[in-house]
Amino acid sequence: MTRHFLRDDDVTPEEQRAILDLAETLKKDRFGTKPLAGPQTVAVIFDKSSTRTRVSFAVGIADLGGNPLIISTANSQLGGKETASDTARVLERQVAAIVWRTYAQSGLEEMARGTTVPVINALSDDFHPCQLLADLLTIREHRGELAGLTVTFLGDGRSNMAQSYVLACAVAGIHVRVASPADYAPDDAVVADADAIAARTGGSVVLFTDPIESVAGADVVVTDTWVSMGKEDEKAERLTRFGQYQVTTELMALAKPDALFLHCLPADRGFEVTAEVIDGPQSVIWDEAENRLHAQKALMAWILDQD
């Protein structure tokens, strides 16, 4: 059966750990594994602009011995004259896997249903699971065992990052907290899925509206841009609504003394986080950005092996 990675709970706790273990191995021996030797081609499709996703997937596919085929939907039939499933049926006869950075999660699900090669979610409006693999890898590098840690995400709780944190942390057995305005809380169905997973892994999911309460004693503090791509028309309202969730040195001081700060980037300095925090000693954002490469290589190697 073809495995896909469309959201963070598409892997079991054991599989998530195996991918992170492989990522650590590949980080130490970057060119030691060549599952795409040939070179086999991986289609990497972009509906949205990108820096880290584009670079890390292109470099990672090459590191694995393959050829990255970068496709812009603006210069293809996908989303115009052709459905996602029809595009998938064309691509599967020529590529080893499909990576898609898009808007609607439903498009990824349609593509996965229509193909016999793995489909990987490089970002959708609902989830950003590849980023979470990199984030968990970064946390594990700096703090060791993930299970039992407390991670606080502040800002837009309905963003793809927040919802992926809810799911991925539940899979890892982490106690995840999300602080946001009540009407920007994560989707109820996503929280319910995470609660069910956390009941088995020993993690937990708690929603807050008070940022101070949410950060108290946290091992990791995370935020993301308040204005994601496609939400630009809401910028003025969002800057007002999320102001109290800005990560400052004062807020970080409420977490554990050695708490880590993460941000998937790009950052709006002075909005969701101050420059003092993002450039400060607790920030591990550059490790986090590099780990996109190693985590995604591990994911691709693992998922191709399952297939």
Side-chain angles (χ1 to χ4, degrees):
M1 181 182 72
T2 303
R3 294 291 298 271
H4 305 290
F5 190 59
L6 308 184
R7 45 186 275 170
D8 306 82
D9 55 350
D10 280 341
V11 293
T12 66
E14 295 74 22
E15 289 170 339
Q16 184 193 72
R17 180 183 291 272
I19 293 167
L20 295 176
D21 288 345
L22 180 55
E24 288 187 347
T25 299
L26 294 178
K27 188 169 184 177
K28 294 173 184 175
D29 184 12
R30 180 167 163 179
F31 304 107
T33 300
K34 302 284 187 180
L36 291 169
Q40 299 179 64
T41 296
V42 175
V44 189
I45 307 170
F46 289 92
D47 292 356
K48 297 182 175 184
S49 59
S50 170
T51 299
R52 279 148 292 275
T53 298
R54 184 183 299 270
V55 172
S56 57
F57 268 110
V59 173
I61 292 163
D63 284 0
L64 295 175
N67 173 55
L69 174 62
I70 307 299
I71 302 171
S72 169
T73 49
N75 298 314
S76 73
Q77 302 295 347
L78 178 60
K81 294 181 179 180
E82 191 164 64
T83 65
S85 57
D86 283 355
T87 296
R89 293 177 68 183
V90 171
L91 291 176
E92 71 179 4
R93 298 185 176 214
Q94 303 178 60
V95 305
I98 301 168
V99 177
W100 193 8
R101 180 179 172 93
T102 188
Y103 290 92
Q105 183 75 12
S106 59
L108 284 156
E109 293 167 354
E110 179 188 345
M111 183 169 282
R113 287 193 300 268
T115 186
T116 57
V117 299
V119 175
I120 294 173
N121 178 2
L123 177 143
S124 71
D125 286 346
D126 292 342
F127 304 105
H128 200 352
C130 288
Q131 179 68 58
L132 259 292
L133 288 176
D135 287 15
L136 292 179
L137 177 61
T138 305
I139 296 168
R140 197 165 83 160
E141 285 178 339
H142 288 270
R143 289 293 175 270
E145 177 62 39
L146 294 174
L149 294 177
T150 297
V151 175
T152 297
F153 180 95
L154 299 108
D156 182 356
R158 199 164 288 248
S159 69
N160 47 25
M161 280 298 295
Q163 297 200 145
S164 272
Y165 257 95
V166 166
L167 288 177
C169 286
V171 173
I174 291 171
H175 302 291
V176 59
R177 305 168 177 173
V178 178
S180 66
D183 53 337
Y184 283 93
D187 183 81
D188 289 343
V190 173
V191 174
D193 289 342
D195 281 337
I197 296 167
R200 302 192 300 271
T201 63
S204 64
V205 181
V206 182
L207 306 183
F208 292 83
T209 56
D210 182 354
I212 294 175
E213 184 182 2
S214 74
V215 170
D219 296 286
V220 183
V221 177
V222 189
T223 192
D224 186 24
T225 179
W226 294 337
V227 187
S228 300
M229 283 179 282
K231 306 290 186 182
E232 290 83 1
D233 59 333
E234 303 174 17
K235 181 173 182 177
E237 178 186 357
R238 284 170 171 266
L239 295 183
T240 299
R241 295 295 308 280
F242 296 137
Q244 65 176 315
Y245 299 96
Q246 183 186 66
V247 180
T248 62
T249 52
E250 292 78 15
L251 194 67
M252 285 295 298
L254 301 176
K256 288 185 178 177
D258 62 347
L260 304 175
F261 172 75
L262 275 73
H263 190 306
C264 68
L265 302 176
D268 291 325
R269 292 166 177 261
F271 290 95
E272 72 269 11
V273 59
T274 63
E276 291 79 8
V277 171
I278 206 166
D279 295 324
Q282 293 171 277
S283 174
V284 292
I285 62 169
W286 309 118
D287 293 341
E288 179 186 7
E290 178 192 344
N291 281 338
R292 288 289 300 276
L293 172 66
H294 311 300
Q296 288 162 187
K297 285 174 62 179
L299 172 65
M300 288 186 285
W302 178 85
I303 209 167
L304 289 167
D305 186 58
Q306 304 306 302
D307 192 45

